[in-house]
């Protein structure tokens, strides 16, 4: 369930307060005209919540991936391995720095197949981007093992599983670097926005400086007189976004708790009949999407029709498959890679994803699940 569903007076009040405190929308400077630094607070609250040593707020999840790739040393011509069930943003970020995206198939967890990952490593491979798709963690132990063996960096794309855990560690804090998205369709939102997490001080320093034109933000120097050592760019988050983000962050536990209640009701019914998406052991999912497989096309169409008619809708599968499966990205990937992920496309085509919404109550999900069960009989 996306955070936009529960935007209310709290976010509104935070914005009004920002105006009352001086109306400074910029994250830095203007020290005499402001009472608070909200982007900095949002970063501090985020790293405390998700147990990372460092956090850097940026303009989007896509920007976060690009900056993080540069920070872990990915250069023009390097290969970066990611997965066929994904969002186009990950591929765009890799291409934008002149690196080469290499795409694995996914297994029935709908995340990176670690068997396929091993097959695709070459001398040029520099990093792996596992994506915790639709609320479920990737097999991080296995991916870590492989990365260690071949000396590869790991960037966790955690844009779709904020608040999820693997072996009691928050997603995004396990690899060398992790990213979250706070765009308007995500678990928590500030309209547009992203966050980079890391426990590595060097990676943090690079991200901090690169996203802000190279400013080192030396506390002893005034902003305009500040020192610099690298060429950067502008991917800064505004105070407007950060005040909303701070409120949304406080709501994450509530969101996950409410998701879970609804998710478990569907699961109780549909597991009797269906093969469900595989959930890796020791993981805490965020329960925002319920996914099951129906191989029979006729029945599948009937179920999708029911979901649309009853206004539950579907999430990405099947409605937005073309934005989430690399099989369709012939504008960005060579033919050979497209053909390799046909397997992923076949698996995704047999999947149905039910979005969990807080605007619908538990009874409505029970009724829905029972109606789906009837179709399958
Ligand atoms: C949303 C998303 C992104 C990009 O985030 P934006 O904030 O929209 O730029 C990247 N990767 C995945 C898997 C996503 O779902």
């Amino acid at each position: 369930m996306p955070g936009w569903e529960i935007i209310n007076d709290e976010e509104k009040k935070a914005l009004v307060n920002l105006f009352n405190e001086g109306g400074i929308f910029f994250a830095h400077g203007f020290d005499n005209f402001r009472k608070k630094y909200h982007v900095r607070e949002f970063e501090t609250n985020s790293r405390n919540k998700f147990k990372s040593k460092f956090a850097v707020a940026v303009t989007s999840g896509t920007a976060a991936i690009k900056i993080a790739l540069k920070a872990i040393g990915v250069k023009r011509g390097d290969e970066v391995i990611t997965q066929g069930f994904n969002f186009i943003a990950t591929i765009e970020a890799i291409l934008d720095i002149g690196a080469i995206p290499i795409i694995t198939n996914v297994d029935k967890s709908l995340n990176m197949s670690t068997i396929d990952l091993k097959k695709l490593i070459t001398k040029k491979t520099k990093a792996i981007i596992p994506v915790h798709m639709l609320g479920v963690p990737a097999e991080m132990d296995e991916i870590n093992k492989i990365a260690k063996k071949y000396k590869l960096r790991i960037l966790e794309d955690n844009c779709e599983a904020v608040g999820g855990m693997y072996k009691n560690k928050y997603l995004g804090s396990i690899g060398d670097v992790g990213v979250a998205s706070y765009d308007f369709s995500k678990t928590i939102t500030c309209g547009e926005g992203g966050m980079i997490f890391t426990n590595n001080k060097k990676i943090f320093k690079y991200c901090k400086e690169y996203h802000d034109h190279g400013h080192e933000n030396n506390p002893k120097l005034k902003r305009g007189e500040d020192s610099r050592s690298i060429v950067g760019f502008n991917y800064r988050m505004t105070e407007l976004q950060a005040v909303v983000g701070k409120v949304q962050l406080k709501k994450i536990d509530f969101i996950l708790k409410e998701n879970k209640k609804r998710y478990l009701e569907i699961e109780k019914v549909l597991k009797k009949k269906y093969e469900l998406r595989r959930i890796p052991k020791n993981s805490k999912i965020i329960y925002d999407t319920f996914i099951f497989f129906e191989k029979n096309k006729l029945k599948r169409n009937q179920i999708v029709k029911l979901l649309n008619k009853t206004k539950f809708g579907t999430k990405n599968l099947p409605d937005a498959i073309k934005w989430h499966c690399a099989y369709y990205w012939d504008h960005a990937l060579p033919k050979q890679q497209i053909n390799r992920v046909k397997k992923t496309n076949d698996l995704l085509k047999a999947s149905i994803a039910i979005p969990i919404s807080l605007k619908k109550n538990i009874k409505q999900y029970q009724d829905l699940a029972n109606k789906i069960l009837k179709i399958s009989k």
Side-chain angles (χ1 to χ4, degrees):
M1 189 235 44
W4 70 265
E5 289 186 317
I6 52 168
I7 288 177
N8 57 23
D9 276 350
E10 268 186 87
E11 283 83 352
K12 186 174 167 185
K13 216 171 108 197
L15 280 165
V16 171
N17 283 346
L18 177 65
F19 283 80
N20 293 338
E21 287 162 6
I24 303 299
F25 300 158
F26 190 57
H28 308 281
F30 298 89
D31 305 312
N32 298 331
F33 302 94
R34 70 197 303 154
K35 292 206 171 73
K36 285 190 162 181
Y37 296 84
H38 293 282
V39 171
R40 291 177 202 177
E41 279 185 21
F42 189 27
E43 289 170 339
T44 305
N45 298 353
S46 298
R47 67 180 163 77
N48 286 342
K49 174 71 195 165
F50 300 124
K51 307 278 183 270
S52 250
K53 253 192 198 150
F54 307 104
V56 180
V58 295
T59 43
S60 72
T62 313
I65 299 169
K66 178 182 166 179
I67 299 161
L69 280 171
K70 288 176 77 80
I72 56 177
V74 175
K75 302 239 156 45
R76 192 166 288 276
D78 288 342
E79 291 178 355
V80 178
I81 302 179
T82 186
Q83 64 198 51
F85 184 35
N86 207 326
F87 179 56
I88 187 73
T90 309
I91 311 300
E92 288 169 334
I94 297 169
L95 289 173
D96 207 50
I97 59 170
I100 303 161
I102 304 291
I103 315 297
T104 75
N105 279 296
V106 298
D107 59 27
K108 282 190 173 171
S109 72
L110 300 188
N111 284 332
M112 182 176 279
S113 156
T114 51
I115 297 167
D116 214 24
L117 167 62
K118 279 188 232 169
K119 287 186 200 155
L120 291 173
I121 294 170
T122 71
K123 276 190 194 132
K124 285 187 176 175
T125 310
K126 182 84 192 195
I128 310 167
I129 308 183
V131 187
H132 310 300
M133 280 301 280
L134 293 177
V136 173
E139 294 282 5
M140 288 312 293
D141 270 0
E142 186 61 21
I143 292 169
N144 271 329
K145 226 192 279 168
I146 295 167
K148 222 176 200 162
K149 183 167 171 195
Y150 295 96
K151 298 194 169 56
L152 307 174
R153 297 289 209 156
I154 297 176
L155 188 171
E156 290 177 78
D157 179 339
N158 192 33
C159 292
E160 299 197 3
V162 168
M165 293 176 118
Y166 182 84
K167 287 201 164 167
N168 288 323
K169 279 191 182 152
Y170 275 104
L171 301 178
S173 73
I174 302 164
D176 295 286
V177 63
V179 303
S181 163
Y182 300 142
D183 85 25
F184 206 59
S185 68
K186 299 301 204 282
T187 311
I188 55 173
T189 182
C190 48
E192 295 275 9
M195 193 75 75
I196 305 168
F197 295 94
T198 184
N199 292 309
N200 179 315
K201 196 169 178 182
K202 249 168 96 178
I203 292 174
F204 165 69
K205 187 171 181 307
Y206 185 94
C207 295
K208 190 87 188 151
E209 290 165 17
Y210 179 77
H211 96 291
D212 183 22
H213 296 301
H215 274 278
E216 290 190 310
N217 276 302
N218 184 334
K220 292 187 193 117
L221 299 169
K222 277 203 289 202
R223 178 124 176 122
E225 297 163 6
D226 192 22
S227 56
R228 69 208 80 97
S229 57
I230 60 163
V231 177
F233 212 82
N234 179 3
Y235 290 110
R236 286 183 304 243
M237 181 180 276
T238 67
E239 297 286 277
L240 285 159
Q241 289 161 296
V243 291
V244 174
K246 272 166 50 189
V247 175
Q248 285 265 305
L249 184 64
K250 282 196 285 187
K251 295 181 175 180
I252 183 113
D253 291 335
F254 171 80
I255 292 171
L256 267 50
K257 194 181 82 196
E258 289 298 316
N259 280 351
K260 185 174 178 177
K261 287 186 204 162
R262 290 159 177 78
Y263 184 104
L264 292 182
E265 288 303 323
I266 313 176
E267 186 181 65
K268 220 191 289 176
V269 177
L270 293 192
K271 77 175 180 196
K272 290 182 210 160
K273 167 77 194 172
Y274 282 104
E275 183 183 0
L276 309 181
R277 177 187 193 180
R278 181 174 69 77
I279 309 293
K281 265 192 215 131
N282 301 312
S283 56
K284 191 181 146 217
I285 68 171
I286 73 165
Y287 301 101
D288 74 331
T289 318
F290 184 89
I291 303 183
F292 63 104
F293 304 108
E294 169 58 273
K295 288 200 190 89
N296 182 312
K297 193 173 169 186
L298 222 72
K299 285 184 180 168
R300 202 163 66 226
N301 288 345
Q302 270 180 286
I303 295 167
V304 171
K305 219 166 144 184
L306 169 76
L307 284 164
N308 287 328
K309 202 180 72 194
T310 49
K311 300 218 159 51
F312 283 88
T314 62
K315 189 166 173 180
N316 302 355
L317 304 172
D319 61 315
I321 191 171
K322 289 183 178 167
W323 282 99
H324 294 89
C325 178
Y327 188 67
Y328 299 95
W329 301 342
D330 55 4
H331 66 303
L333 297 167
K335 207 179 176 104
Q336 178 217 359
Q337 289 222 53
I338 302 279
N339 293 338
R340 267 201 91 253
V341 292
K342 183 174 182 305
K343 231 169 94 184
T344 292
N345 185 49
D346 292 345
L347 182 60
L348 295 179
K349 277 201 133 174
S351 315
I352 298 174
I354 305 175
I356 305 295
S357 161
L358 292 204
K359 290 190 181 291
K360 296 209 156 49
N361 63 37
I362 291 167
K363 168 100 182 22
Q364 286 173 296
Y365 280 102
Q366 286 168 339
D367 292 347
L368 175 72
N370 284 316
K371 277 184 199 156
I372 292 172
L373 201 61
K374 249 184 220 155
I375 291 174
S376 76
K377 274 194 180 138

